[in-house]
Amino acid sequence: MSVLTVVRAPCIACGEETDVQLGQAVAGNQLYWSQSIRHCEHCGATLEADSIGFPPAVYRDALLKDGGEYGVEVVDQTSRAAVASGLRETLELSLPDALAASRAVPGVVWRGTQAEAEWVRRRLAARGVQANIVPCPEPG
């Protein structure tokens, strides 16, 4: 998994702030994220860990800041029901939130990191929804 960003975070061994490398990827229809401490400058500890799903908010915010925000764009209005169902299952959205997101069709129905957007796109594709990944402009 390629490193997307580096953040300062507490070392798991000593609790002192050190560099933590973060990565995120999609394999098949699964979203993964990783964290790595190559060598804590305080205690020498190392860490390699992978997990499934979204990273903790502070890590996700850093990935978004460094990698930018991407949208899942759906242009076919006939797929609104499949979009709502797919988003609800994939992102564990409430029915009202999934329906609200599907009303954006044609357009961007969800935003996240590039890996997250690809994951959502693949999950929607499994339901027959054609979607594209598009970079989202930075606010203002």
Side-chain angles (χ1 to χ4, degrees):
M1 184 171 302
S2 62
V3 172
L4 298 177
T5 194
V6 176
V7 296
R8 297 291 291 175
C11 171
I12 58 159
C14 70
E16 295 291 327
E17 293 260 319
T18 192
D19 286 342
V20 177
Q21 298 172 339
L22 304 174
Q24 197 175 40
V26 178
N29 282 330
Q30 192 62 55
L31 177 66
Y32 295 91
W33 68 277
S34 67
Q35 62 181 329
S36 171
I37 298 173
R38 297 282 183 227
H39 180 83
C40 174
E41 64 255 31
H42 304 284
C43 71
T46 60
L47 164 74
E48 292 285 338
D50 296 314
S51 191
I52 295 172
F54 290 97
V58 66
Y59 287 172
R60 185 168 184 264
D61 290 346
L63 290 165
L64 282 165
K65 181 181 176 195
D66 284 357
E69 187 175 54
Y70 289 80
V72 178
E73 180 182 57
V74 179
V75 294
D76 181 5
Q77 291 187 12
T78 63
S79 62
R80 280 190 176 152
V83 168
S85 177
L87 291 176
R88 185 167 189 215
E89 178 185 300
T90 300
L91 302 170
E92 299 178 359
L93 297 179
S94 68
L95 181 57
D97 288 345
L99 290 171
S102 72
R103 283 187 212 106
V105 176
V108 173
V109 297
W110 189 82
R111 295 170 184 248
T113 67
Q114 188 172 18
E116 293 164 357
E118 175 60 21
W119 174 62
V120 171
R121 186 201 65 77
R122 288 183 188 188
R123 298 288 301 251
L124 291 176
R127 293 176 171 272
V129 176
Q130 296 279 0
N132 301 307
I133 306 303
V134 295
C136 296
E138 292 188 31

